[in-house]
Amino acid sequence: MNKNKINYLKNNLPFFKDLSSEELNNLILISYLKKYSKGELIHSKNSNCTGVILVINGQLRSFLDSSSGKEITMFRLIDRDICLLSASCVFKNLTYDISLEAEKDSLVLIIEGAYLKKLSESNSHVQKFLFDLTQDKLSEVMWIIEQIVFLNFDRRLANFLLNQSYLENSTTLKITHDAIANHLGSAREVVSRMLKRFENEGLIKMSRGTIEIINLEKLK
Amino acid sequence: MNKNKINYLKNNLPFFKDLSSEELNNLILISYLKKYSKGELIHSKNSNCTGVILVINGQLRSFLDSSSGKEITMFRLIDRDICLLSASCVFKNLTYDISLEAEKDSLVLIIEGAYLKKLSESNSHVQKFLFDLTQDKLSEVMWIIEQIVFLNFDRRLANFLLNQSYLENSTTLKITHDAIANHLGSAREVVSRMLKRFENEGLIKMSRGTIEIINLEKLK
């Protein structure tokens, strides 16, 4: 298990080679592998600083949720993706609350946020790593805003179905209208209405709990 | 002018004291003061890397715009605020295009992005400064997404009017419905309809080109 952990750290952390042996030992001590079952919550508003999460295998979803129960998916994370937003204590000013759940059975490596923050203060390679991750996230989040504001809802829904098909490696998607609404920060009725339109246009075919993509090219 | 410039840099850049005399000289050389008139474009999609912009006085607006002409305001910047997103070359992965315009006559100090990036690679204090700025922006952008997705449009419009009143230091706002729509990433018709509702509820009073806030408390 420990050997696995060291390998995952070595293969995924660019600063691994720039650590002193003491730093390395501490990093190994404070990071841990954890399995999550499909549907399990990994990080929520209430769990302040879970840490930086490295996906070994599986699929995670990070999302924002409002007090009224509305949700919107921010990122889907697959193998080798790193979630920074679950390490809130790494941040100077935290003004948002992200949640993270396993969409499939997943194995993740968690690196304690407080230690990483401390490490970044003394090791500029670690700081660079966190800086790069933050820049990536900022770019992605700006992109998400562009999608939300500038794309019509039919385009966003079509993109979601295409991405889902890519993640599932299938054109038959087992997903409810309610779940799609939560991904897109929309209402179930709006999703159902638009899916109906897609069906009428021959893009998809709906049955109980399943959406089948009929015309992938036209959906693009 | 040069003395002013040095003072602005000294008072606003936390890494100022951590520069070598050579670094400091270069920083002074490559940064410059510039005046913009109300309405002038400071940075656009096409101007790749204007640099990090420090507002000395005035008011700037950063916004995203789509190919179809739709806009949404990201941040308003006032005295001592720093705009990082106009220094795209500082970033590793750029997947967005921000524009920046002067909302009032403004004096700004521009620090060339390419130099700052180079400096951040050799000086960890500069890297820390850019890291902190990026973290702040990420937090703000996450907050903006929450506003867009979870707040009803009436609440977003009310918040905009309150913020505008704060920036103008007046309850009489000289602004068109079209301009408000561009701030909020919405359509003029939607804005006009909601303002009409606010007027019917006794919150505001409209006349040609002007919106007067009648009941500030109830608008909050």
Side-chain angles (χ1 to χ4, degrees):
Chain A
M1 200 71 165
N2 217 25
K3 201 180 152 201
N4 274 347
K5 199 164 77 173
I6 296 170
N7 269 332
Y8 293 139
L9 291 168
K10 189 175 175 179
N11 293 330
N12 292 284
L13 301 180
F15 62 79
F16 187 89
K17 63 184 188 311
D18 301 304
L19 296 174
S20 71
S21 56
E22 194 196 336
E23 288 171 335
L24 186 57
N25 283 334
N26 284 332
L27 181 70
I28 294 167
L29 273 176
I30 57 86
S31 57
Y32 55 99
L33 288 163
K34 198 160 174 184
K35 284 185 177 172
Y36 288 95
S37 303
K38 182 177 171 174
E40 220 176 321
L41 200 64
I42 299 170
H43 175 85
S44 77
K45 296 183 177 190
N46 307 321
S47 49
N48 241 338
C49 196
T50 303
V52 168
I53 292 175
L54 166 64
V55 182
I56 308 299
N57 57 57
Q59 184 176 314
L60 314 185
R61 173 176 93 99
S62 71
F63 59 100
L64 292 172
D65 52 347
S66 72
S67 49
S68 65
K70 210 173 165 188
E71 293 183 8
I72 185 166
T73 296
M74 299 297 293
F75 317 105
R76 320 286 283 274
L77 299 116
I78 55 173
D79 302 7
R80 298 178 68 102
D81 281 339
I82 294 177
C83 182
L84 177 70
L85 299 177
S86 47
S88 51
C89 54
V90 169
F91 282 81
K92 208 167 55 89
N93 289 315
L94 183 80
T95 57
Y96 58 87
D97 288 308
I98 198 103
S99 297
L100 194 65
E101 67 170 17
E103 281 196 298
K104 297 180 181 173
D105 291 348
S106 301
L107 174 66
V108 306
L109 180 77
I110 301 178
I111 306 166
E112 200 194 278
Y115 175 72
L116 211 54
K117 184 184 166 70
K118 197 164 151 264
L119 195 57
S120 77
E121 280 156 14
S122 59
N123 186 319
S124 68
H125 299 280
V126 178
Q127 184 176 283
K128 175 79 164 50
F129 167 75
L130 291 176
F131 182 28
D132 287 349
L133 275 183
T134 310
Q135 288 197 331
D136 288 349
K137 279 301 159 228
L138 181 58
S139 276
E140 283 183 56
V141 173
M142 295 289 281
W143 183 85
I144 290 171
I145 290 195
E146 288 191 332
Q147 305 298 302
I148 297 174
V149 178
F150 297 142
L151 283 195
N152 291 330
F153 187 72
D154 57 348
R155 191 61 260 155
R156 285 181 64 213
L157 180 57
N159 285 349
F160 174 79
L161 295 177
L162 291 168
N163 185 42
Q164 194 66 13
S165 165
Y166 168 77
L167 286 171
E168 298 296 331
N169 197 23
S170 165
T171 52
T172 304
L173 312 175
K174 292 199 180 308
I175 191 165
T176 65
H177 299 191
D178 211 36
I180 296 176
N182 279 343
H183 278 293
L184 298 175
S186 183
R188 192 190 48 74
E189 299 73 30
V190 179
V191 170
S192 294
R193 207 181 308 135
M194 193 60 79
L195 286 173
K196 193 73 207 159
R197 215 191 78 192
F198 285 180
E199 192 170 51
N200 290 338
E201 291 173 5
L203 303 172
I204 61 167
K205 194 167 176 325
M206 292 192 281
S207 51
R208 185 169 291 274
T210 304
I211 299 167
E212 198 182 340
I213 301 179
I214 304 287
N215 194 330
L216 204 67
E217 280 313 305
K218 216 176 145 196
L219 199 61
K220 277 178 190 168
Chain B
M1 201 70 164
N2 218 25
K3 200 179 151 202
N4 274 348
K5 200 164 73 172
I6 296 170
N7 269 331
Y8 293 138
L9 291 169
K10 190 175 175 179
N11 293 331
N12 291 285
L13 301 180
F15 62 79
F16 187 88
K17 62 183 189 311
D18 302 301
L19 296 173
S20 70
S21 56
E22 193 196 338
E23 289 171 336
L24 186 58
N25 283 334
N26 284 333
L27 181 71
I28 292 166
L29 273 175
I30 57 87
S31 58
Y32 54 100
L33 287 162
K34 198 160 176 186
K35 283 185 178 172
Y36 289 94
S37 303
K38 182 178 170 173
E40 220 176 321
L41 199 62
I42 298 169
H43 174 85
S44 76
K45 296 182 179 193
N46 307 321
S47 49
N48 241 337
C49 196
T50 303
V52 168
I53 293 176
L54 166 64
V55 183
I56 308 299
N57 56 57
Q59 184 176 313
L60 314 185
R61 173 175 91 100
S62 72
F63 60 100
L64 292 172
D65 51 348
S66 72
S67 48
S68 66
K70 210 173 166 190
E71 292 183 7
I72 185 167
T73 296
M74 300 297 294
F75 317 105
R76 320 286 284 275
L77 300 115
I78 55 173
D79 302 7
R80 298 178 67 101
D81 281 339
I82 294 177
C83 183
L84 177 69
L85 299 178
S86 48
S88 51
C89 54
V90 168
F91 281 81
K92 206 167 56 89
N93 289 315
L94 184 79
T95 57
Y96 57 87
D97 288 308
I98 199 104
S99 296
L100 194 65
E101 68 170 16
E103 281 195 301
K104 297 179 180 172
D105 290 348
S106 301
L107 175 65
V108 306
L109 180 77
I110 301 178
I111 307 166
E112 200 192 279
Y115 176 72
L116 211 53
K117 184 183 167 69
K118 197 164 150 264
L119 196 55
S120 76
E121 279 156 15
S122 59
N123 187 319
S124 68
H125 299 281
V126 178
Q127 182 175 285
K128 174 78 165 52
F129 167 74
L130 291 177
F131 182 28
D132 287 349
L133 274 183
T134 309
Q135 288 197 330
D136 287 350
K137 279 300 160 232
L138 180 58
S139 276
E140 283 183 56
V141 173
M142 294 290 281
W143 183 85
I144 290 170
I145 290 194
E146 288 192 330
Q147 306 298 301
I148 296 173
V149 179
F150 298 141
L151 283 194
N152 291 330
F153 187 72
D154 57 348
R155 189 63 260 156
R156 286 181 63 212
L157 180 57
N159 286 349
F160 174 79
L161 296 176
L162 291 169
N163 184 43
Q164 195 67 12
S165 165
Y166 167 79
L167 286 170
E168 298 297 332
N169 197 22
S170 164
T171 52
T172 305
L173 312 176
K174 291 199 179 309
I175 190 164
T176 64
H177 299 193
D178 212 34
I180 296 176
N182 279 343
H183 278 292
L184 298 176
S186 183
R188 193 190 48 73
E189 299 74 28
V190 179
V191 170
S192 294
R193 206 180 308 136
M194 192 61 78
L195 285 173
K196 194 73 207 160
R197 215 191 78 190
F198 285 179
E199 192 170 53
N200 290 339
E201 290 173 5
L203 303 173
I204 62 168
K205 195 168 176 320
M206 292 191 282
S207 52
R208 186 168 289 274
T210 304
I211 299 167
E212 198 182 340
I213 300 178
I214 304 289
N215 192 329
L216 204 67
E217 280 312 307
K218 216 176 143 195
L219 200 61
K220 277 177 190 170

